[in-house]
Amino acid sequence: MADARQIQTPDISRVIKIRPTVPTPETAADVAESADPVDMADRAEAAVDSLSGQFEAWMTADLDKLVAAWRDAQVPEATPEAYRAVFTASHNIRGVAGSYGYPAISRLCGSLSTLLNDTHPGENSALINLHIEACRAAFVGVGSGDSAASVSDAVCDALEQSVAAKTASN
């Protein structure tokens, strides 16, 4: 015989307070004022500028993760997941380095991501290592200005050509 008791759905409204989504007059005025694209761009630029002092610390942390992941991937018992961690770290750096003001590192990590994505774990260790060392060198400072940019471009070009040659044969 079936249980005659009905299961009641608990009332969670006493636990979770859901606020109404109706904007207040002040909020509506703020939205109307901020709808100007020039003002929105100025606000975004100011927000980025206020964070720019932290970019170096964030880039240091991201590069440290990349170096640590590569160190873990080089041990004899390394798994494919260890190589995936190197890919993830380089892919993440590629996404943010340009915004942090490190376009060469973004480019190098893009090339490294391609290399890691298109080859098997354990292959191309020397080329992977060159990418990581080039990222570290670009970060600690090859200098600034036109000569530094041309050196960075030459290193990026050479590594991208090497990756293209390696991945084309696979």
Side-chain angles (χ1 to χ4, degrees), residues 23 25 36 46 53 68 80 106 132 136 139 147-148 164:
D36 177 32
S106 179
I132 293 171
R136 291 173 63 183
F139 180 67
S147 63

Side-chain angles (χ1 to χ4, degrees), residues 62 88-100 105-106 109-110 113:
D62 289 344
T88 300
S90 68
H91 179 75
N92 290 345
I93 292 171
R94 178 180 185 237
V96 297
S99 298
Y100 291 172
I105 295 174
S106 179
C109 283
S113 295

Side-chain angles (χ1 to χ4, degrees), residues 10 13 75-76 93 105 110 129 160 167-168:
S13 65
V75 297
I93 292 171
I105 295 174
N129 197 60
E160 287 167 346
T167 58

Side-chain angles (χ1 to χ4, degrees), residues 54-87:
Q54 298 176 14
F55 289 170
E56 186 175 336
W58 292 341
M59 188 88 267
T60 299
D62 289 344
L63 287 172
D64 288 347
K65 287 178 189 173
L66 177 63
V67 169
W70 176 233
R71 187 178 28 242
D72 292 345
Q74 289 179 299
V75 297
E77 63 275 359
T79 63
E81 289 77 27
Y83 275 84
R84 183 74 183 160
V86 178
F87 171 83

Side-chain angles (χ1 to χ4, degrees), residues 2-13:
D3 191 358
R5 292 181 294 166
Q6 278 190 333
I7 299 175
Q8 291 183 347
T9 305
D11 179 16
I12 63 169
S13 65

Side-chain angles (χ1 to χ4, degrees), residues 143-161:
S144 59
D146 292 339
S147 63
S150 65
V151 168
S152 293
D153 285 342
V155 170
C156 290
D157 289 343
L159 289 174
E160 287 167 346
Q161 289 170 8

